[in-house]
Amino acid sequence: MTDETRILLVDDEPHVISALVRGLDEEPYLITGAHGGKEALGLMVQHRYKVVISDEKMPGMDGAEFLGAVKELYPETVRIMLTGHASVEATMRAVNSGEIYRFFTKPWDETELKLALRSAVEKYNLEEENRRLLRTVKRQSQELKYLEKSYPGITELRREADGAIRIDEDVTEEEIASIIAGCNDAERSS
């Protein structure tokens, strides 16, 4: 983990945020506190948070509503609820509207919360890597389509009788530079 791992704590009680920050001070996170859903959503416009931990009962916007908004606006952010007022209704609303990753009750077990945070950050990082790989595959697919359209048969693998890969030697350096430039133009226009 790097210092770019941002965690957002949302609770209307400042002493809860302070206690969470103290409990996580040895963890490699950049931790920010917000005293309500609207303030937290404002912070999320400015920074990318990997994990959000929210209280349920807050004035103005409750935790389920806030986590639902986070799910819609920042679906990649992992959402955790930490509440002192766990009811079946609150739990169901949080799970259904915010698709939360974990649910904790106050007072929390510090070790369990730390482990859940590590797991949440790992989940975020793995999903981010999957998104990056998917973008790469999509870009490469577009490059291959461009190449086939411009130079039919260029992506076919041709082999010699002995199984060795056959490379046409009649392609000039200028043609290769033109193909690379065409691929780059196709990528920029997509």
Side-chain angles (χ1 to χ4, degrees):
M1 283 176 263
T2 68
D3 59 342
E4 295 176 7
T5 299
R6 292 180 180 270
I7 308 294
L8 181 59
L9 308 174
V10 186
D11 199 308
D12 61 321
E13 298 176 60
H15 70 277
V16 172
I17 292 176
S18 296
L20 285 166
V21 169
R22 277 192 310 274
L24 298 170
D25 69 344
E26 292 181 6
E27 298 296 311
Y29 310 129
L30 229 84
I31 300 173
T32 304
H35 301 291
K38 286 186 180 177
E39 180 185 349
L41 289 173
L43 290 169
M44 293 186 80
V45 169
Q46 300 168 20
H47 301 286
R48 182 177 56 132
Y49 292 93
K50 292 186 176 182
V51 181
V52 170
I53 301 175
S54 177
D55 185 19
E56 168 57 19
K57 285 205 172 189
M58 296 183 290
M61 178 184 288
D62 66 27
E65 187 180 355
F66 166 68
L67 292 175
V70 171
K71 178 192 157 227
E72 187 173 319
L73 298 171
Y74 309 97
E76 68 281 355
T77 300
V78 180
R79 299 163 297 278
I80 295 176
M81 180 161 280
L82 174 66
T83 183
H85 308 281
S87 67
V88 173
E89 181 185 340
T91 306
M92 285 176 55
R93 278 185 353 106
V95 169
N96 291 336
S97 64
E99 289 183 15
I100 62 169
Y101 178 66
R102 296 280 170 88
F103 192 100
F104 290 96
T105 57
K106 297 176 185 174
W108 60 92
D109 179 295
E110 210 165 275
T111 302
E112 283 183 23
L113 188 62
K114 284 180 183 177
L115 291 174
L117 259 177
R118 290 178 192 163
S119 175
V121 169
E122 186 176 305
K123 175 183 183 327
Y124 179 95
N125 290 340
L126 285 172
E127 289 177 357
E128 184 176 60
E129 179 65 8
N130 284 340
R131 287 188 293 272
R132 187 192 67 76
L133 291 172
L134 188 62
R135 285 191 303 272
T136 299
V137 167
K138 190 175 179 182
R139 180 181 47 81
Q140 290 173 340
S141 174
Q142 289 172 341
E143 288 173 357
L144 285 174
K145 285 180 184 172
Y146 168 80
L147 285 173
E148 268 305 318
K149 184 177 176 186
S150 302
Y151 307 95
I154 196 167
T155 60
E156 290 177 22
L157 184 61
R158 291 174 285 222
R159 294 187 180 270
E160 301 292 342
D162 64 353
I165 296 174
R166 190 177 109 215
I167 299 174
D168 294 332
E169 295 179 8
D170 57 341
V171 180
T172 65
E173 291 291 326
E174 291 80 27
E175 288 173 319
I176 292 172
S178 172
I179 290 169
I180 292 171
C183 287
N184 290 337
D185 289 343
E187 182 181 332
R188 279 190 288 271
S189 65
S190 63

